[in-house]
Amino acid sequence: MPDVVVFGSLNTDLVLDVPVLPAAGQTVLGGRLRVHSGGKGANQAVAAADAAGPTGPAVRMVGRVGDDGYGRRMRADLTAAGVDTGGVTVDSNEPSGTALILVDAAGENVIAVAAGANSAVDVDDARRAAAGLGPGDVAVCQLEVPQPAVRALVVAARAAGARSVCNAAPAAALAPDLLAALDVLVVNESEAGAVFGTQIRTPEAAGTAAGRAGCAVVVTLGPAGAVFAGPHGRPGRCPAPTVPVIDTVGAGDAFVGALAVALAGGTDLATAVGAGVAAGSRAVTRSGARPHAVDRGRKPVDADLTEGAGK
């Protein structure tokens, strides 16, 4: 059975609900501090493990955490989700990555991220992630770790005969040679603008972008589903089902994880995009960025354990 290797970020999200977002110099009293394991890389690894289930591809996470309570907790959460954490290095020189998130009563938010150990991810980490990759395997990456490391992973995956999927988030420009070395680029509308300098909402526009990039391009459109095209294939659209929306956080990561698992299972791009849309649609019907451990029949890790988390 092929493997899915996720290379990228691990963060701890510190979330505080406030009545209003504070202005400069203003102090606002909030509710209970919530602590959740996050980071786009780790979220996508959990989503892939959820999509794979007990009989699908093995999912391995490669990245860095600090030698602190947050790092220990993030690794424990990944293990509870069925992700192999043997590739998660403990960095004694940097704290674990942390995201500080304020959410007001209307659902608007402000986020500040301290990259911590994620900023130290390097080419050697990418080589570790690529070790053992072969035909049929899928390597997944994002842009919350330095781009030179992302480039090294993509090049190494291509040399090993594995496929690579890059979710260009946070939005950033990508060098033409990096795009050409990719197999699948996944972006949302705003990220597509950063990569291609233009809006992509139709299959035809996705086809044009794929031709320019030299790789398959998938653009997620929220409730409108997704459009996609290979560099030489026929472009297509996958509509999303109508579902009750509870929380859109994590829908994109659910999409990427499920798409990667489908590709590792040997499906074509259209089928893999369909699997991603289905997973993203399920994700918005529940609260939080990840599937709940109890939903998968695994022992949950306490999501509200805050005391001593950073020690």
Side-chain angles (χ1 to χ4, degrees), residues 90-178:
V90 177
D91 190 325
S92 60
N93 297 316
E94 295 284 349
S96 293
T98 308
L100 310 176
I101 306 171
L102 299 180
V103 184
D104 70 12
E108 296 296 325
N109 63 68
V110 294
I111 303 174
V113 176
N118 295 307
S119 64
V121 171
D122 59 18
V123 171
D124 288 337
D125 293 311
R127 290 174 180 148
R128 288 193 300 109
L133 286 177
D137 295 335
V138 175
V140 180
C141 54
Q142 324 77 34
L143 301 182
E144 286 188 334
V145 297
Q147 273 203 43
V150 171
R151 181 193 303 272
L153 175 74
V154 170
V155 171
R158 173 63 62 91
R163 284 178 289 184
S164 58
V165 175
C166 180
N167 176 208
L174 296 177
D177 62 329
L178 174 56

Side-chain angles (χ1 to χ4, degrees), residues 292-306:
H292 298 299
V294 291
D295 294 338
R296 297 187 300 268
R298 300 189 177 100
K299 182 179 178 180
V301 176
D302 182 6
D304 290 313
L305 178 63
T306 58

Side-chain angles (χ1 to χ4, degrees), residues 22-311:
Q26 180 186 14
T27 298
V28 175
L29 295 179
R32 183 181 184 186
L33 179 69
R34 290 175 284 130
V35 181
H36 305 288
S37 293
K40 292 196 71 64
N43 287 345
Q44 290 174 9
V46 170
D50 187 61
T55 60
V59 178
R60 179 164 56 99
M61 178 76 209
V62 178
R64 294 195 187 197
V65 297
D67 186 11
D68 50 36
Y70 288 147
R72 290 186 287 274
R73 175 178 169 158
M74 285 188 281
R75 284 181 290 147
D77 282 346
L78 286 170
T79 299
V83 177
D84 180 347
T85 60
V88 178
T89 298
V90 177
D91 190 325
S92 60
N93 297 316
E94 295 284 349
S96 293
T98 308
L100 310 176
I101 306 171
L102 299 180
V103 184
D104 70 12
E108 296 296 325
N109 63 68
V110 294
I111 303 174
V113 176
N118 295 307
S119 64
V121 171
D122 59 18
V123 171
D124 288 337
D125 293 311
R127 290 174 180 148
R128 288 193 300 109
L133 286 177
D137 295 335
V138 175
V140 180
C141 54
Q142 324 77 34
L143 301 182
E144 286 188 334
V145 297
Q147 273 203 43
V150 171
R151 181 193 303 272
L153 175 74
V154 170
V155 171
R158 173 63 62 91
R163 284 178 289 184
S164 58
V165 175
C166 180
N167 176 208
L174 296 177
D177 62 329
L178 174 56
L179 288 170
L182 274 174
D183 288 285
V184 183
L185 173 71
V186 180
V187 288
N188 62 22
E189 290 182 78
S190 63
E191 292 154 2
V195 175
F196 297 108
T198 186
Q199 186 180 66
I200 299 175
R201 291 191 58 86
T202 66
E204 293 73 23
T208 299
R212 286 174 50 193
C215 65
V217 172
V218 179
V219 183
T220 59
L221 303 172
V227 294
F228 60 90
H232 309 294
R234 183 177 178 182
R237 179 188 297 274
C238 181
T242 300
V243 296
V245 177
I246 303 299
D247 187 349
T248 61
V249 174
D253 293 334
F255 180 100
V256 173
L259 178 138
V261 168
L263 290 175
T267 67
D268 59 19
L269 181 63
T271 303
V273 171
V277 168
S281 297
R282 287 192 299 273
V284 302
T285 65
R286 61 184 175 236
S287 179
R290 295 183 179 181
H292 298 299
V294 291
D295 294 338
R296 297 187 300 268
R298 300 189 177 100
K299 182 179 178 180
V301 176
D302 182 6
D304 290 313
L305 178 63
T306 58
E307 186 173 353
K311 297 179 181 179

